[in-house]
Amino acid sequence: MKKILSTIVFSAILLLANDGFVTYEVNGQKYEGYMSSPSKNAPLVFLVHDWDGITDYEVKRAKMLNEMGYATFAVDLYGKGIRPEKLEDKKRLTNELYQDRAKMRELLFAGLEEAKKEGLNVNNAVGIGYCFGGAAILEFARAGVELKKFIPFHGGLQTPKGEDYSKTKGEIVVFHGTADKVVSMQDFASLAMQLEEAGIKHEMLTYSGAPHAFTVFGAKSYNENADKASWKRFSEILEDTF
């Protein structure tokens, strides 16, 4: 009986050890990602945060995925302790990375490498991102990283000048709001045409009445119908992929 109890306690401790913040370094600067894993070798969802950094929102999504049997690693693109609250700071930090795509890619690759060091299954993984993170996950797709799918939720969809999807190895699934005033339906259509021309398998979904950031719980932009519908389809895609 004592042996059984000891095994249960050890298993619980191990589970807790696989759920929390992780500090790592890139070029001498500290970054703090978040990881959550329900079991060894669980399929991985590599997640890129919104423009306010890793917050309770990303943690909640990671926990939702954990309950579904998937591991998550939320990469930090800003730096440890840098979690902007003011609008001007959010714009500044995202613009710095939009203007330095090489740095954005370096940080994405570093995050994936850290996930590997933490024992997460990077060889059986998809990438997702929210808003700014959606634009970043498409940047990762264009960089040619080996992920099975790249999935932006209400993300930036424009392709920077001089870039294309010729190196992309995984499928792309886009969740977008038809009422998005930040990322236009023209951008949505343009991306679909680029992917078709590049021969990249893709799925493009748009939801009526859904504005930009329609999945953000508690925000004025939150659209329950679009959030639930996109999460349902996302769940089906994960099942089909893994």
Side-chain angles (χ1 to χ4, degrees):
M1 183 66 178
K2 288 183 178 180
K3 186 176 181 179
I4 293 173
L5 288 173
S6 296
T7 301
I8 292 172
V9 171
F10 177 78
S11 297
I13 292 172
L14 184 62
L15 179 60
L16 289 172
N18 288 333
D19 192 319
F21 287 93
V22 178
T23 299
Y24 57 101
E25 287 192 10
V26 184
N27 294 328
Q29 181 178 348
K30 290 185 178 181
Y31 290 81
E32 188 175 53
Y34 179 84
M35 65 174 285
S36 177
S37 180
S39 61
K40 186 177 181 180
N41 291 325
L44 174 64
V45 177
F46 184 78
L47 186 155
V48 189
H49 57 74
D50 197 352
W51 70 345
D52 52 355
I54 298 174
T55 65
D56 290 344
Y57 178 79
E58 285 75 18
V59 172
K60 181 171 183 176
R61 290 293 183 185
K63 291 183 181 298
M64 290 169 67
L65 287 164
N66 187 303
E67 291 174 0
M68 294 162 60
Y70 304 110
T72 301
F73 186 88
V75 60
D76 177 12
L77 297 189
Y78 289 164
K80 185 174 182 178
I82 302 175
R83 300 294 180 261
E85 296 182 2
K86 294 181 179 180
L87 182 61
E88 57 266 31
D89 291 331
K90 295 175 185 178
K91 288 182 177 180
R92 175 180 55 81
L93 287 165
T94 54
N95 284 334
E96 285 176 0
L97 290 172
Y98 283 139
Q99 296 301 317
D100 191 348
R101 297 283 176 156
K103 181 178 180 180
M104 183 189 289
R105 291 186 180 198
E106 182 180 30
L107 293 173
L108 289 165
F109 276 108
L112 191 62
E113 181 61 27
E114 182 60 29
K116 182 179 180 180
K117 289 179 182 177
E118 295 294 335
L120 300 179
N121 193 353
V122 299
N123 295 316
N124 191 26
V126 302
I128 70 171
Y130 292 91
C131 291
F132 161 70
I137 207 62
L138 290 178
E139 186 70 33
F140 215 17
R142 293 189 295 271
V145 66
E146 297 273 0
L147 296 179
K148 294 184 175 180
K149 286 185 173 65
F150 301 88
I151 307 171
F153 287 82
H154 43 77
L157 304 179
Q158 290 185 350
T159 302
K161 185 177 180 180
E163 293 190 21
D164 58 38
Y165 287 87
S166 60
K167 295 181 180 179
T168 301
K169 295 181 172 63
E171 300 175 17
I172 291 179
V173 181
V174 175
F175 293 109
H176 184 68
T178 315
D180 194 327
K181 302 299 184 184
V182 178
V183 181
S184 70
M185 286 301 295
Q186 286 76 19
D187 291 341
F188 179 86
S190 176
L191 176 59
M193 290 187 289
Q194 291 175 58
L195 297 176
E196 188 67 22
E197 290 173 4
I200 304 301
K201 189 174 181 180
H202 59 280
E203 183 175 342
M204 310 285 291
L205 300 104
T206 184
Y207 299 97
S208 61
H212 192 65
F214 63 81
T215 70
V216 181
F217 305 117
K220 292 181 179 179
S221 60
Y222 182 71
N223 184 293
E224 184 176 9
N225 289 335
D227 176 43
K228 289 184 175 179
S230 60
W231 190 261
K232 180 177 183 294
R233 181 62 191 133
F234 175 52
S235 301
E236 294 169 349
I237 289 166
L238 291 180
E239 291 178 10
D240 292 341
T241 303
F242 299 128

